[in-house]
mmCIF file of all heavy atoms in Angstrom:
data_model
loop_
_atom_site.group_PDB
_atom_site.id
_atom_site.type_symbol
_atom_site.label_atom_id
_atom_site.label_comp_id
_atom_site.label_asym_id
_atom_site.label_seq_id
_atom_site.Cartn_x
_atom_site.Cartn_y
_atom_site.Cartn_z
ATOM 1 N N ILE A 29 35.437 61.155 -209.978
ATOM 2 C CA ILE A 29 34.373 61.904 -210.642
ATOM 3 C C ILE A 29 34.973 63.207 -211.150
ATOM 4 O O ILE A 29 35.770 63.836 -210.449
ATOM 5 C CB ILE A 29 33.233 62.245 -209.661
ATOM 6 C CG1 ILE A 29 32.629 60.975 -209.071
ATOM 7 C CG2 ILE A 29 32.180 63.105 -210.333
ATOM 8 C CD1 ILE A 29 31.669 61.234 -207.938
ATOM 9 N N ALA A 34 29.694 72.533 -212.149
ATOM 10 C CA ALA A 34 29.290 72.795 -210.762
ATOM 11 C C ALA A 34 30.382 73.546 -210.002
ATOM 12 O O ALA A 34 30.083 74.383 -209.151
ATOM 13 C CB ALA A 34 28.962 71.492 -210.057
ATOM 14 N N ASN A 38 30.212 76.697 -207.315
ATOM 15 C CA ASN A 38 30.570 76.480 -205.921
ATOM 16 C C ASN A 38 31.739 75.499 -205.840
ATOM 17 O O ASN A 38 31.533 74.283 -205.856
ATOM 18 C CB ASN A 38 29.382 75.957 -205.111
ATOM 19 C CG ASN A 38 29.664 75.951 -203.628
ATOM 20 O OD1 ASN A 38 30.796 76.130 -203.200
ATOM 21 N ND2 ASN A 38 28.637 75.729 -202.839
ATOM 22 N N ARG A 43 35.003 69.456 -201.193
ATOM 23 C CA ARG A 43 35.294 69.224 -199.778
ATOM 24 C C ARG A 43 34.806 67.833 -199.374
ATOM 25 O O ARG A 43 33.721 67.413 -199.751
ATOM 26 C CB ARG A 43 34.578 70.255 -198.898
ATOM 27 C CG ARG A 43 35.147 71.644 -199.006
ATOM 28 C CD ARG A 43 34.274 72.658 -198.304
ATOM 29 N NE ARG A 43 33.617 72.174 -197.116
ATOM 30 C CZ ARG A 43 33.838 72.622 -195.886
ATOM 31 N NH1 ARG A 43 34.699 73.573 -195.696
ATOM 32 N NH2 ARG A 43 33.179 72.137 -194.859
ATOM 33 N N THR A 49 28.168 77.221 -198.436
ATOM 34 C CA THR A 49 27.589 78.187 -199.367
ATOM 35 C C THR A 49 28.704 78.793 -200.205
ATOM 36 O O THR A 49 29.873 78.801 -199.800
ATOM 37 C CB THR A 49 26.852 79.322 -198.630
ATOM 38 O OG1 THR A 49 27.814 80.102 -197.909
ATOM 39 C CG2 THR A 49 25.790 78.782 -197.697
ATOM 40 N N ILE A 62 44.619 86.741 -198.741
ATOM 41 C CA ILE A 62 45.146 87.746 -197.809
ATOM 42 C C ILE A 62 46.394 87.213 -197.117
ATOM 43 O O ILE A 62 47.426 87.885 -197.050
ATOM 44 C CB ILE A 62 44.076 88.147 -196.769
ATOM 45 C CG1 ILE A 62 42.934 88.901 -197.450
ATOM 46 C CG2 ILE A 62 44.689 88.985 -195.648
ATOM 47 C CD1 ILE A 62 41.704 89.098 -196.573
ATOM 48 N N SER A 88 29.476 91.031 -210.110
ATOM 49 C CA SER A 88 30.783 90.458 -210.423
ATOM 50 C C SER A 88 31.653 91.485 -211.132
ATOM 51 O O SER A 88 32.814 91.682 -210.791
ATOM 52 C CB SER A 88 30.603 89.227 -211.312
ATOM 53 O OG SER A 88 31.832 88.806 -211.819
ATOM 54 N N ASP A 108 38.324 94.022 -192.341
ATOM 55 C CA ASP A 108 38.959 94.031 -191.018
ATOM 56 C C ASP A 108 40.054 92.968 -190.939
ATOM 57 O O ASP A 108 41.134 93.213 -190.405
ATOM 58 C CB ASP A 108 37.933 93.798 -189.907
ATOM 59 C CG ASP A 108 36.997 94.990 -189.722
ATOM 60 O OD1 ASP A 108 37.388 96.113 -190.131
ATOM 61 O OD2 ASP A 108 35.892 94.802 -189.185
ATOM 62 N N THR A 114 47.557 92.700 -192.596
ATOM 63 C CA THR A 114 48.492 93.672 -193.167
ATOM 64 C C THR A 114 49.291 94.372 -192.070
ATOM 65 O O THR A 114 50.504 94.541 -192.193
ATOM 66 C CB THR A 114 47.739 94.703 -194.030
ATOM 67 O OG1 THR A 114 47.030 94.007 -195.060
ATOM 68 C CG2 THR A 114 48.691 95.682 -194.674
ATOM 69 N N ARG A 162 115.711 98.595 -188.569
ATOM 70 C CA ARG A 162 115.526 97.701 -189.717
ATOM 71 C C ARG A 162 114.594 98.303 -190.770
ATOM 72 O O ARG A 162 114.385 97.701 -191.806
ATOM 73 C CB ARG A 162 114.922 96.375 -189.260
ATOM 74 C CG ARG A 162 115.863 95.601 -188.399
ATOM 75 C CD ARG A 162 115.241 94.281 -188.135
ATOM 76 N NE ARG A 162 116.142 93.492 -187.337
ATOM 77 C CZ ARG A 162 115.861 92.306 -186.879
ATOM 78 N NH1 ARG A 162 114.679 91.774 -187.151
ATOM 79 N NH2 ARG A 162 116.732 91.638 -186.167
#
Side-chain angles (χ1 to χ4, degrees):
I29 301 170
N38 190 348
R43 289 171 34 115
T49 67
I62 293 168
S88 169
D108 290 338
T114 302
R162 293 186 178 176

